[in-house]
Amino acid sequence: MMQINRFSFGKGFISMVIALSLTGCVDDKYDLKDIDTTSRVTVNNLTVPVNLESIKLDNVIDMDDNENIKTLTDANGNKYYALQEDGDFSTSSFHIDAISVPAVPIAPLEYHVGLNLNTRSAFSGSVSMPSDLPMSEYHFNLNNIDPALISLKNIKAQNPITLEVKLSVNREFVSNGNQVTFKNVNFRLPWGLISDAKGYDKATGHLVIDELPVNNDGTAKFTFKATGLELGSRGQIKNHKLDISDQIGLTAAEIAFELNSMNVPGQIDINLDFDISSFIVNSFSGEIDYHMDNIDIDPISLSDLPDFLNSPDTKISIANPTIDVDVNNPVGGYGIEGRGYIKLTSDFNNGNTTTAQSDMFTIGTNGADLSFGPGATAGSHVEFNNLSNILLNGNVGGLPEKIYVNLVELQFVGEATDFPLGNDIENAKGKYTFDAPLAFGDGSIVVYEDTESGWSSDDLDKVYIEHIKLNAKCSTNLPVGISLKVIPVDKNGDQIPVKEDSSKFDVEPNSNNKEVSLTIEGANGPITNFDGVTFRAVITQNSGNTEAIGPDQYIELNDLRIAVDGYYETDF
Amino acid sequence: MNFINKKLLAIFLTSASVFTVAAQESATGYFNDYYQTRWQMNPAIGNRNNYVGFPGLGNINIGVNGNLNPTDLIYSHGGKTVLFTNPNISAAEVLGNLDDINRLGESVNINIIQFGFKAFGGYNNVAINVRQNLGVDLPKSIFSLLKEGLSNKTYDISNLSLKAKAYAEIALNHSRDIKWVPGLRAGVSLKFLLPVAMAEANFNQLHLELAEDSWNVRSNAELRLGMKGLKYETSVNDRTGNRYVDGVNTDDLGFGIGGFGFGIDLGAVYDWKDFSFSLAFTDLGVVSYSDMQLASTNGTKEFRTDAHPIAIGDDSKSWDNMVDALSPLYELSDMGDSGSTSMGLEGKFRAGVDYRFPLYKKLHFGLMNTTNLSSIFPMTEFRLSANVEPVKGVAASVSAAAGTYGCNYGFLLSLGNKGFNFILGMDYANLKMDKNHIPLKSNVDFHMGINFPF
C-alpha cells in the first residue's frame, strides 16, 4: 500500500483551499463599472383597441363665446350651425323743403265804356261791358322745388292765398248822389284756387259776383281767399320749377247807374287792379320720388369665427343664406311706398372684395317683412343673386374679415296725399338678420388645421415610431365629405416627413361602416423627437347635399384599432 | 427613466453577488470536525471541546442565492458590458438563460451568543441567533415583456412575489451516543423563536390580456406586514374617493415580540468502519407573527378597455373615468389587522456519508444532500467534499456541489484548535468575476466564526 506523505498532502490541500479562497475566474469581457445601459423596449405591431363614442360635431366645434357662429333650431326642431348676424338700421329723417311762392305782380287793366246821357236830366239804367275785354297775365312761379317732387296736383298754403281785386271808376259817377253798381260781374281769376268763395269755378277760374257796388271813393273792392291750389295735370315740375300762368281780368259785367246829376263824362273809365299775396306751400299732393342716402349698416365682423373656419384655404359657398329685413314705412300714411336694394360687400384681407346685390325690394305703405336669398322662406321673398358666394374670395380662399351691408338706391315713390313740406318726418327704421346655415354649396372647401403639440418629454424623446396604423369602420350622417390627414410634428414645430400617400383617409358623406385606414410612417426612418401632431381636415361638398351641418351630426369610428410598431430606447 | 443611473445599477448587481453567501450554515464544513456550529446542520454532531463563541462573531452566515444571476441581466457585446435590454442582445438568448420562475434570495444568520460544553452524558450547545430571509420571485413573463416587447399577447405575471421574515432564535442542543446501538449518536435541538418582522407581497394574479378588440387586466394582490406597532398610512384618491395604502406608519414601531415560534432539529450519526452516516431534519416548526397588517385589492379586480368608450370633446372626462377604473388594480385597501400568520420555518433535510481515507486518516471525504423545504427557497443539492487536518489546529475542506443552483464548489478553512478558532468559508466559491473582481453569479455565500475552544 502506498504511503502518503501526510505533511506534503496536507500542505498542498491547504494551499489549494487558500488559492480557492483568494482567486476566482475573472472574465475580462465583463466590466460592471462601465455598463452600457442602452436599453430598448419594443412594441411589436401592438394593436391598441380604442373604443370611441360617436364623435358629434358639438364635441369638436367649440362654439363657446363665439359671436359669429350660432346654434339655431329649425322648424322641425333640428339644430344647425349658422353664421348669423343681426342688427338695426334707420334712415335719416324725411324732409322736403316748403315752397315759397312770391307775390304775383299783375298789370292793371283799364276799360272805357261810352255813355250817351246828354238828353237826360237824370238817368237810371245800365250798360253792359263790351265783350273781348283785355286781360292781364299772372304767373305763379314755384322755384327751387325739391327734386323729390315730380308733380304737384294739389298744394296747400301755410297762409291763405289772398287775391285782392279793385275796380275803380271816374269820381264823377259817384259824386252828387250818383251811384254805380257792377252787376253780374264775371272775373277771370287764376284757376285751381281752393276756395269756398261763392261763384268761383276753380276749373276755369271764373268768379261771378252778382252785384258789386262802387263806393263813394269810386272803387269797388273785394278779397278772394284760397287755401291752396289745385293743379291737376298741369302741376308737372320741370327743372325744379313750376310756372303756373294764365290770364286774369274781367270778362263781363253790367254797370248799373243811378245818376242824379248828369254832369258826368261821356264815358266811364274803369280800372281793374289785382294783388295776389305771396304764400308758402306746406303740403302737397302729387308725385314724389324721394331718394335716401345710402344706408351703411354696421359691417359684419367675422373676426370671431371658430377655428375650423379660419383657415386661409377655406372656401365657402353658402347653400341657403337668407337676409330677413323688417322695416317700417313712415311715409306710408301719405300713400308712398319705398324700394331699394341690399348690397353686401365682403372685404378680404388681401384687398379683394366680393359684392352681391339683391333684386329690388319694395316697402309697402305698411312697411315690409322681406326675405332675401335662396333659403328665404318667410316674408316677401326677394331674389338675391350671388348671395351664396359672398364668402368666396375668388380662387384664393379664406373668409372675409368683414361684410359690409348697405341699403342702396333706397327711394320712396308714389302719389302722395297731403304730404307735408318743410317739416321732418320720422325716419324709416328696421332690423335685419343675416342667416347663413353652414350648409355648403358644391365646391365648398373648409380646411381645418390644428396642431396639438407640447407632448415632448424626456421619455417621449426616446420613443421611435416605425409606424402607426389606424383602421376603423366609419359611419357618419354628415352631408359633406371629410379628408383627414395626420402629420407628426417635432420639437421645433416642424412637420416630420411621412409617406404621404397613406397618412390620410377620406370619408364620404353619409357613409355607413366604411372601412378607413391611415398609416403614419416616417419617410426618413423611425419617427422620433415627437412633440405632437398636426390634424388637417378638409371638408368638401361635391355631393349636392346642401343640408346644414349641426351639433348633433356625428362621425362614428367603430372597431377602431391603432397598431403601433416602434421602440423605446434609453440610456439609463 | 433616469431614476436608475449606472452607479445604482452597479451597486445592485454588486450587492446581489458579493454581499451574501449561500446557505445559513456552511455545507462544506459539514464534515469538518473543527467547524463548531455543525450542530445547527445536524444536532447529533457534537464537538471535541467545549467552546465559547465571540459575541456577535461566533457564527456569521450570509448568503445570496437564486437562479437569477447577474450574467442573466448583463451581457458582453462588442467589447462592452451591456444590459439584457440592449437591442443587440437577442430575446432568444436572454429568455433562454432564464427559468420560468426566477428567484433571488438572501439570508442572514448571525449568532449573538453561543457556547458548547460536555455535560448530561453528551454534548450541549446553547445559542442565540438572529435569522432573516428574503426571497423574490420574478416570473419569466416580466422579462419576456421587456425583451420581446409589447404585442397582442396574454401576459401572466402571476407568481410575482416577495417574502421576508426575521426572527430571533434561542437554541438548546443536546446530543449523545446511543449506548444500545454502538456507533449511533443522536441529537436534538429545541428552538424558541421570537418573531421580529415579516413581510409578504404577492401578486396572486396579474393577468394582462392585450387582445386586439380589448385590453383586459385582472389583478389580485396583497401585502402583509407584521411588525410590532407598524400600521399602514392611507390617502384618499381625490377622484374615486377610494382610500388606499400609500405608506407605512412607523411612529409607534416597537421592538417588542410580535408572536412566537417553535422549532426542533433532529439528527443522527452512525459510524460504521470508515464510514459515518448522518441524517438530520432541521428547522422543523412554525413561527407565528401576530398583528399582521393586511393590504389588498380586496379580491380580484378586473379592467376592460371595451367597457370604457372614449368620448371626444368631453374635457377628458371619459379618459379620466377610464384612469379611475384602473386604480383599483393597483390601489391596495387597508384591510386592517388580519390577526396572526403562521409560517413554517425554512426546514432542511440533510443526509450525509463520510468516508475516512484509510491510507491517510487525516483525510476524509463526504457526500451530502441538502434539501431545503423552504417555501421561500426550495432547493436541493448534492455536495462532495474532501476534508483534511494535516497538522493539529489547521483543517480545511473543499467541496463541489450540483443542484438547483447549478454546479459550484466551496471551501472552509479552520485555523486554531484550543484557545482560539477561526473559521472562514464559502459554499459557492465558484466566483466568476468581472475585470473589477465583482462576482457575476448570484449564488454566493460567506461564513465566518471566531470561537474559543477549551
Side-chain angles (χ1 to χ4, degrees):
Chain A
M1 184 176 289
M2 185 177 64
Q3 189 67 34
I4 292 177
N5 183 326
R6 292 181 297 178
F7 182 76
S8 298
F9 180 83
K11 187 169 70 175
F13 192 91
I14 296 297
S15 298
M16 184 179 72
V17 170
I18 293 172
L20 277 175
S21 65
L22 298 178
T23 63
C25 176
V26 175
D27 190 337
D28 286 337
K29 291 187 300 182
Y30 293 94
D31 183 356
L32 268 63
K33 288 186 176 178
D34 184 18
I35 298 175
D36 179 355
T37 57
T38 302
S39 295
R40 176 182 291 184
V41 177
T42 58
V43 174
N44 304 317
N45 199 26
L46 178 65
T47 298
V48 183
V50 181
N51 195 10
L52 282 182
E53 288 185 348
S54 291
I55 305 169
K56 291 188 175 181
L57 286 192
D58 190 32
N59 303 137
V60 179
I61 301 175
D62 185 5
M63 290 297 179
D64 291 345
D65 303 323
N66 193 281
E67 291 182 357
N68 295 120
I69 301 293
K70 294 181 173 60
T71 302
L72 306 178
T73 305
D74 67 15
N76 298 321
N78 298 319
K79 293 180 178 177
Y80 65 96
Y81 294 127
L83 172 63
Q84 189 183 62
E85 280 290 327
D86 52 25
D88 299 325
F89 63 87
S90 62
T91 67
S92 55
S93 300
F94 286 86
H95 182 92
I96 300 176
D97 288 338
I99 304 169
S100 180
V101 182
V104 180
I106 300 172
L109 293 168
E110 289 184 6
Y111 306 108
H112 305 282
V113 179
L115 300 174
N116 186 13
L117 301 174
N118 294 333
T119 59
R120 299 178 186 180
S121 59
F123 180 80
S124 176
S126 65
V127 60
S128 295
M129 297 282 288
S131 61
D132 297 326
L133 293 171
M135 306 292 283
S136 281
E137 286 192 347
Y138 68 89
H139 295 272
F140 287 115
N141 290 319
L142 282 66
N143 295 321
N144 298 320
I145 300 173
D146 191 292
L149 303 185
I150 306 301
S151 67
L152 305 174
K153 290 184 178 177
N154 184 322
I155 60 176
K156 290 181 180 174
Q158 183 177 0
N159 51 320
I161 304 170
T162 304
L163 175 60
E164 292 185 346
V165 180
K166 184 175 77 175
L167 283 168
S168 57
V169 300
N170 312 58
R171 295 287 296 262
E172 292 84 348
F173 288 99
V174 290
S175 60
N176 301 318
N178 291 342
Q179 293 182 352
V180 175
T181 301
F182 290 94
K183 294 189 176 177
N184 299 318
V185 185
N186 190 336
F187 290 101
R188 181 173 179 177
L189 299 180
W191 48 264
L193 291 170
I194 300 169
S195 174
D196 54 2
K198 183 180 177 185
Y200 177 72
D201 180 359
K202 65 182 176 184
T204 62
H206 286 278
L207 173 67
V208 177
I209 300 175
D210 293 340
E211 191 172 285
L212 184 62
V214 178
N215 296 325
N216 290 336
D217 61 356
T219 64
K221 300 177 186 175
F222 72 90
T223 300
F224 183 91
K225 290 188 177 181
T227 59
L229 194 58
E230 202 166 281
L231 302 176
S233 61
R234 287 177 284 187
Q236 291 296 323
I237 299 168
K238 292 180 180 175
N239 298 324
H240 315 304
K241 293 180 181 177
L242 180 61
D243 183 13
I244 304 167
S245 61
D246 211 330
Q247 290 186 324
I248 188 170
L250 187 64
T251 58
E254 291 179 14
I255 307 168
F257 300 94
E258 291 289 340
L259 300 177
N260 294 323
S261 171
M262 293 302 290
N263 186 21
V264 295
Q267 68 175 13
I268 185 168
D269 298 322
I270 304 170
N271 293 308
L272 177 57
D273 295 294
F274 293 96
D275 186 6
I276 301 178
S277 67
S278 63
F279 61 92
I280 294 172
V281 180
N282 69 347
S283 74
F284 83 100
S285 296
E287 285 183 81
I288 189 169
D289 185 1
Y290 188 94
H291 288 249
M292 308 284 293
D293 292 336
N294 287 347
I295 298 171
D296 299 332
I297 300 171
D298 285 343
I300 300 168
S301 172
L302 299 184
S303 60
D304 194 23
L305 288 173
D307 292 341
F308 86 103
L309 289 177
N310 245 343
S311 167
D313 298 327
T314 293
K315 302 173 188 174
I316 295 179
S317 164
I318 316 167
N320 297 303
T322 61
I323 299 178
D324 293 331
V325 176
D326 191 2
V327 61
N328 69 343
N329 183 353
V331 294
Y334 306 106
I336 301 174
E337 292 185 337
R339 65 191 182 201
Y341 305 85
I342 290 184
K343 180 181 175 184
L344 300 185
T345 304
S346 294
D347 184 8
F348 296 87
N349 59 8
N350 63 351
N352 287 353
T353 59
T354 298
T355 300
Q357 181 167 306
S358 72
D359 284 4
M360 189 178 72
F361 63 82
T362 302
I363 304 171
T365 55
N366 294 319
D369 181 7
L370 304 169
S371 192
F372 300 83
T377 55
S380 301
H381 178 231
V382 181
E383 289 297 330
F384 199 140
N385 293 326
N386 294 325
L387 180 58
S388 298
N389 296 330
I390 196 63
L391 299 181
L392 282 177
N393 184 15
N395 291 321
V396 179
L399 294 181
E401 291 183 331
K402 288 182 179 177
I403 301 174
Y404 293 95
V405 183
N406 306 102
L407 295 179
V408 299
E409 299 183 38
L410 186 61
Q411 59 187 133
F412 288 83
V413 297
E415 285 284 338
T417 301
D418 294 333
F419 191 92
L421 301 176
N423 294 320
D424 285 344
I425 300 175
E426 183 188 1
N427 50 3
K429 297 175 184 172
K431 56 185 178 182
Y432 76 95
T433 302
F434 176 59
D435 187 349
L438 290 185
F440 302 125
D442 273 355
S444 292
I445 300 174
V446 174
V447 180
Y448 173 55
E449 187 167 302
D450 190 19
T451 298
E452 293 282 342
S453 60
W455 301 352
S456 175
S457 66
D458 289 344
D459 285 337
L460 195 59
D461 290 349
K462 297 164 186 170
V463 171
Y464 297 79
I465 300 170
E466 289 168 340
H467 81 250
I468 298 175
K469 186 169 186 178
L470 179 152
N471 286 293
K473 291 178 180 174
C474 184
S475 298
T476 180
N477 62 354
L478 279 170
V480 291
I482 298 176
S483 176
L484 178 67
K485 184 174 185 177
V486 181
I487 309 153
V489 176
D490 67 17
K491 289 193 291 188
N492 298 321
D494 298 326
Q495 294 185 348
I496 299 172
V498 295
K499 294 183 178 177
E500 288 284 338
D501 53 344
S502 57
S503 65
K504 65 179 181 180
F505 66 76
D506 299 322
V507 180
E508 295 167 357
N510 296 303
S511 292
N512 184 25
N513 272 339
K514 183 194 176 187
E515 292 192 357
V516 294
S517 68
L518 176 153
T519 300
I520 302 172
E521 187 172 0
N524 303 318
I527 296 169
T528 188
N529 288 321
F530 191 45
D531 189 51
V533 291
T534 292
F535 299 97
R536 183 178 173 86
V538 180
I539 299 172
T540 55
Q541 174 59 281
N542 296 312
S543 66
N545 184 346
T546 57
E547 179 188 354
I549 63 172
D552 293 331
Q553 286 172 325
Y554 65 87
I555 301 173
E556 282 182 352
L557 291 175
N558 297 313
D559 298 337
L560 178 58
R561 302 288 179 266
I562 300 172
V564 182
D565 246 334
Y567 54 89
Y568 172 86
E569 187 167 301
T570 187
D571 184 6
F572 290 123
Chain B
M1 286 290 178
N2 289 325
F3 62 93
I4 297 178
N5 57 31
K6 292 183 179 182
K7 188 174 290 185
L8 282 174
L9 185 66
I11 290 171
F12 167 75
L13 293 170
T14 302
S15 63
S17 53
V18 167
F19 188 62
T20 54
V21 192
Q24 293 221 359
E25 295 86 16
S26 171
T28 302
Y30 185 81
F31 298 106
N32 189 314
D33 294 337
Y34 289 87
Y35 188 29
Q36 310 285 354
T37 53
R38 290 187 299 163
W39 63 272
Q40 294 195 22
M41 290 184 278
N42 188 333
I45 300 176
N47 289 320
R48 293 177 182 172
N49 304 307
N50 300 333
Y51 73 97
V52 175
F54 192 108
L57 297 176
N59 184 23
I60 296 175
N61 305 278
I62 304 171
V64 166
N65 46 21
N67 55 358
L68 180 63
N69 294 301
T71 48
D72 296 330
L73 304 178
I74 60 169
Y75 289 80
S76 177
H77 177 81
K80 289 183 176 179
T81 302
V82 300
L83 294 176
F84 75 101
T85 47
N86 189 286
N88 294 309
I89 306 301
S90 72
E93 181 180 4
V94 172
L95 298 178
N97 291 336
L98 296 168
D99 295 312
D100 288 341
I101 300 294
N102 296 278
R103 297 193 160 105
L104 193 62
E106 169 265 344
S107 63
V108 176
N109 179 7
I110 297 177
N111 171 254
I112 306 300
I113 297 171
Q114 69 173 354
F115 57 89
F117 58 95
K118 294 174 183 172
F120 313 121
Y123 195 88
N124 308 281
N125 289 285
V126 176
I128 298 176
N129 302 315
V130 174
R131 291 178 179 248
Q132 176 266 328
N133 296 301
L134 170 69
V136 179
D137 282 0
L138 299 172
K140 189 176 186 177
S141 52
I142 287 182
F143 297 94
S144 172
L145 191 151
L146 288 172
K147 192 59 196 173
E148 291 182 325
L150 281 167
S151 58
N152 292 107
K153 297 198 312 186
T154 296
Y155 296 92
D156 188 0
I157 313 179
S158 303
N159 301 319
L160 175 63
S161 67
L162 179 148
K163 296 176 182 175
K165 61 185 177 184
Y167 58 87
E169 171 188 85
I170 302 171
L172 305 175
N173 167 257
H174 175 78
S175 60
R176 65 167 60 207
D177 294 333
I178 306 301
K179 292 179 181 177
W180 50 87
V181 181
L184 178 64
R185 183 177 179 85
V188 61
S189 296
L190 301 178
K191 299 177 177 178
F192 303 95
L193 309 179
L194 305 174
V196 177
M198 180 267 185
E200 182 173 8
N202 285 309
F203 265 112
N204 299 323
Q205 190 175 41
L206 181 54
H207 192 83
L208 307 178
E209 184 182 348
L210 306 184
E212 292 192 358
D213 55 349
S214 178
W215 286 5
N216 310 319
V217 185
R218 288 195 300 278
S219 166
N220 184 335
E222 61 181 19
L223 170 66
R224 294 174 188 271
L225 294 178
M227 195 169 187
K228 194 75 175 177
L230 185 140
K231 302 284 184 188
Y232 290 118
E233 285 185 341
T234 59
S235 292
V236 175
N237 186 319
D238 291 339
R239 294 220 299 264
T240 64
N242 183 46
R243 181 172 288 278
Y244 64 97
V245 172
D246 68 342
V248 291
N249 186 336
T250 58
D251 292 347
D252 300 324
L253 204 60
F255 291 98
I257 303 304
F260 181 74
F262 176 80
I264 185 170
D265 299 344
L266 298 172
V269 177
Y270 179 68
D271 293 329
W272 178 71
K273 297 184 178 178
D274 289 329
F275 292 92
S276 177
F277 301 91
S278 60
L279 183 69
F281 291 93
T282 59
D283 292 324
L284 303 176
V286 295
V287 58
S288 176
Y289 292 85
S290 59
D291 301 328
M292 292 298 297
Q293 301 299 313
L294 173 64
S296 79
T297 54
N298 200 10
T300 299
K301 302 298 181 187
E302 184 166 7
F303 170 84
R304 301 180 63 89
T305 58
D306 59 3
H308 295 277
I310 302 299
I312 302 296
D314 67 345
D315 294 331
S316 302
K317 286 180 183 171
S318 55
W319 178 263
D320 291 344
N321 289 340
M322 188 178 74
V323 173
D324 291 345
L326 275 168
S327 62
L329 296 174
Y330 57 84
E331 286 183 350
L332 301 182
S333 299
D334 183 358
M335 308 302 287
D337 188 343
S338 63
S340 61
T341 292
S342 297
M343 298 177 71
L345 302 181
E346 303 303 308
K348 290 186 180 71
F349 162 79
R350 292 183 182 88
V353 56
D354 185 37
Y355 173 65
R356 193 163 297 276
F357 193 52
L359 299 181
Y360 180 42
K361 295 294 184 182
K362 297 288 186 181
L363 173 65
H364 56 105
F365 299 95
L367 175 65
M368 180 178 71
N369 168 254
T370 302
T371 299
N372 194 341
L373 307 176
S374 163
S375 60
I376 294 178
F377 255 111
M379 56 81 74
T380 188
E381 176 188 272
F382 289 90
R383 183 172 294 272
L384 179 65
S385 64
N387 309 273
V388 67
E389 184 191 355
V391 294
K392 204 168 185 67
V394 177
S397 302
V398 294
S399 67
T404 302
Y405 305 132
C407 296
N408 279 281
Y409 60 85
F411 73 91
L412 185 130
L413 183 64
S414 171
L415 300 175
N417 188 5
K418 282 200 174 181
F420 175 81
N421 177 256
F422 173 73
I423 294 289
L424 179 67
M426 300 173 74
D427 279 347
Y428 296 90
N430 184 14
L431 292 181
K432 182 180 180 183
M433 295 181 287
D434 79 336
K435 58 174 33 175
N436 304 299
H437 296 87
I438 299 172
L440 296 171
K441 294 289 184 182
S442 61
N443 288 300
V444 185
D445 60 353
F446 174 81
H447 307 273
M448 190 201 83
I450 298 175
N451 292 280
F452 305 101
F454 57 91

